[in-house]
Amino acid sequence: MPNPPKPTKSQKAQARAERAAELIRQQQAAERRRNLLVVAGVVVAMVLIVGVLFFVNASRDSADDIDAAPAGQSDFGLTIGDSGAPHDVVIYEDFLCPFCGQLERESSDQLDKLAKEGKVQVEYRPFNLLQTDYSVAAANAFAVLLDKEGPEVAKKFHDLIYADQPSESGEQPGADWLLEKAVDAGADEAAVKPGIEGLTEKDWVEDATKAAADAGVSSTPTILLDGKAYQDGRTIEEIADNLVAELE
Amino acid sequence: MRQWLGLVARLVTGGVWIYAGAVKLPDPYASVQAVRAYELLPASAAEAVGYLLPPLEIVVGLALVLGLLTRGAAAVSAVLFVVFIIGIASVWARGMEIDCGCFGGGGYDPDAQSSYPWEIARDAALLLASLYLVWLRRSRLALDDLLFRRTTSPTHEG
């Protein structure tokens, strides 16, 4: 065995230590790379899951896919304005729904005006979304007036009971109140009283509700502008303003 | 001890997320309506958020329960809670009465005013739990321990 000089020994030890340190550095770098890959893989998987569910959700939400007859062409509505107007608006509503009341108070006058100017044809389609006695009684009274007194009185009545809309949470008025509003709207009390009190148009309300459901309407108010669901705005007020601006 | 507390924080926060997301996932329409009720986002953005939140909540919840990328999941969780607290505080300040839609539902709620403080308190507690997990880095029984097992001697880096 040769006799290695002292400096060589320490040099060897140093070289060994360097090699060991280098090995650890390499291992650590490999571990960092591996960890980074794992993190990236897991993150990609999570984003994929969220993304796929997002698109599944978007495609399952059928609220925008409403297939309803254009304005003036349903059996359960009241139409104002000319059929030749450049725009066509359909409003599905429930007489008790607070947002419908807000929409009516924000837009009704302007839509009347625009319809008179020939800029839009609007059809109001009330139905019983909320499944309350008042929703049924009010829609029934509306149908009675439409039948006995014609669209002008029915529209007036529609505007009146929205202007004075009862609260959804409190107690709702009954037939007496609806009859009073009908008379205020210009109806002949004797002619409409039996229909309003006896709910003679209950079937009409049920059919209108079924027609709305068949069209894919699941909330109120549902506004269709030229056949497409219109909900451009953060609040009902904004939606009403934007709709009117769109038609002007 | 702290790491066990971390496990508890993970299970509670993650469990709440999974529940909240799972309840909302089956009805995307209601979820969008619940977001709209806050009247903070324009229609198209509200729609996107309504579709996105339930799956995001479920994935964040699962990650926390499993202890998968715990720090990242806890950070996302904390951000979401901050956003929710701001949202609820803002409807409260505007005097609106809506269901927070946290666990399904949403829209008008006559008793909303009395539930806002408790909803904010709940979200604030869960926010603290999330921040604790971000600070703690490691907790017991986490998948992270399996995935990122050390093969070399530990360094200062985490």
Side-chain angles (χ1 to χ4, degrees):
Chain A
M1 214 174 151
N3 214 5
K6 247 187 173 178
T8 319
K9 206 175 199 172
S10 84
Q11 271 171 4
K12 260 191 178 170
Q14 205 185 339
R16 237 192 338 264
E18 268 171 19
R19 269 201 306 279
E22 175 59 25
L23 206 66
I24 288 176
R25 265 200 300 280
Q26 277 175 3
Q27 275 177 0
Q28 280 179 338
E31 187 178 305
R32 266 199 299 277
R33 267 199 306 280
R34 189 184 64 94
N35 284 356
L36 215 63
L37 274 177
V38 172
V39 170
V42 173
V43 168
V44 166
M46 285 177 172
V47 169
L48 265 180
I49 294 174
V50 172
V52 166
L53 287 176
F54 174 88
F55 282 107
V56 168
N57 257 352
S59 64
R60 266 189 331 148
D61 182 357
S62 53
D64 291 344
D65 313 333
I66 290 169
D67 186 16
Q73 293 182 28
S74 108
D75 297 330
F76 308 104
L78 180 156
T79 308
I80 58 171
D82 196 65
S83 63
H87 290 293
D88 164 334
V89 167
V90 174
I91 299 177
Y92 282 94
E93 53 193 5
D94 181 302
F95 280 115
L96 191 57
C97 112
F99 287 134
C100 305
Q102 210 184 331
L103 173 71
E104 286 299 334
R105 291 188 288 276
E106 296 288 337
S107 71
S108 157
D109 289 348
Q110 279 110 312
L111 288 181
D112 274 347
K113 184 169 150 281
L114 290 166
K116 279 206 188 79
E117 290 168 359
K119 287 180 175 158
V120 64
Q121 188 182 36
V122 184
E123 183 175 343
Y124 293 99
R125 292 180 189 162
F127 69 105
N128 173 23
L129 175 88
L130 298 173
Q131 302 294 320
T132 65
D133 291 344
Y134 178 81
S135 300
V136 176
N140 170 76
F142 175 81
V144 169
L145 293 184
L146 201 54
D147 179 43
K148 301 264 195 260
E149 306 282 337
E152 255 169 62
V153 174
K155 175 66 166 58
K156 191 90 188 293
F157 170 77
H158 161 273
D159 293 349
L160 281 177
I161 64 171
Y162 268 126
D164 207 3
Q165 192 186 35
S167 156
E168 192 183 0
S169 51
E171 201 163 301
Q172 286 107 36
D176 292 351
W177 187 84
L178 290 168
L179 183 60
E180 198 181 298
K181 294 288 174 195
V183 173
D184 287 351
D188 175 12
E189 182 169 350
V192 299
K193 191 174 177 183
I196 291 178
E197 289 184 344
L199 291 178
T200 52
E201 296 288 346
K202 211 176 161 194
D203 288 348
W204 184 96
V205 179
E206 270 168 27
D207 292 346
T209 303
K210 190 167 178 306
D214 288 348
V217 175
S218 55
S219 71
T220 53
T222 290
I223 306 167
L224 304 180
L225 170 60
D226 299 323
K228 284 204 193 77
Y230 187 84
Q231 43 197 17
D232 201 357
R234 285 173 302 180
T235 62
I236 291 288
E237 199 177 357
E238 273 186 24
I239 294 176
D241 290 349
N242 291 340
L243 177 68
V244 167
E246 197 100 29
L247 299 170
E248 264 162 353
Chain B
M1 185 59 207
R2 271 182 184 161
Q3 295 213 349
W4 287 108
L5 202 60
L7 173 64
V8 173
R10 262 174 43 213
L11 292 180
V12 171
T13 313
V16 170
W17 278 129
I18 292 174
Y19 175 67
V23 171
K24 282 178 282 197
L25 194 64
D27 193 349
Y29 177 72
S31 173
V32 171
Q33 290 301 102
V35 176
R36 266 195 201 127
Y38 283 79
E39 297 183 0
L40 285 170
L41 298 172
S44 53
E47 199 164 73
V49 171
Y51 296 147
L52 182 68
L53 267 182
L56 184 64
E57 289 175 354
I58 290 179
V59 168
V60 168
L62 282 175
L64 284 174
V65 166
L66 297 175
L68 187 60
L69 304 190
T70 311
R71 271 196 108 190
V76 174
S77 162
V79 169
L80 285 175
F81 281 123
V82 169
V83 171
F84 289 175
I85 290 171
I86 292 174
I88 296 171
S90 113
V91 287
W92 191 8
R94 283 178 288 162
M96 293 161 58
E97 299 196 323
I98 61 163
D99 182 316
C100 72
C102 310
F103 304 101
Y108 175 72
D109 173 8
D111 303 324
Q113 289 286 340
S114 57
S115 35
Y116 293 145
W118 133 251
E119 281 160 7
I120 290 181
R122 179 199 56 207
D123 285 1
L126 292 168
L127 168 63
L128 283 181
S130 308
L131 291 176
Y132 179 65
L133 288 170
V134 174
W135 172 79
L136 189 66
R137 288 162 187 265
R138 296 200 150 241
S139 54
R140 287 293 153 135
L141 302 180
L143 261 185
D144 284 345
D145 292 342
L146 285 180
L147 282 175
F148 307 111
R149 208 173 334 184
R150 293 189 182 287
T151 50
T152 53
S153 54
T155 51
H156 306 296
E157 246 322 302

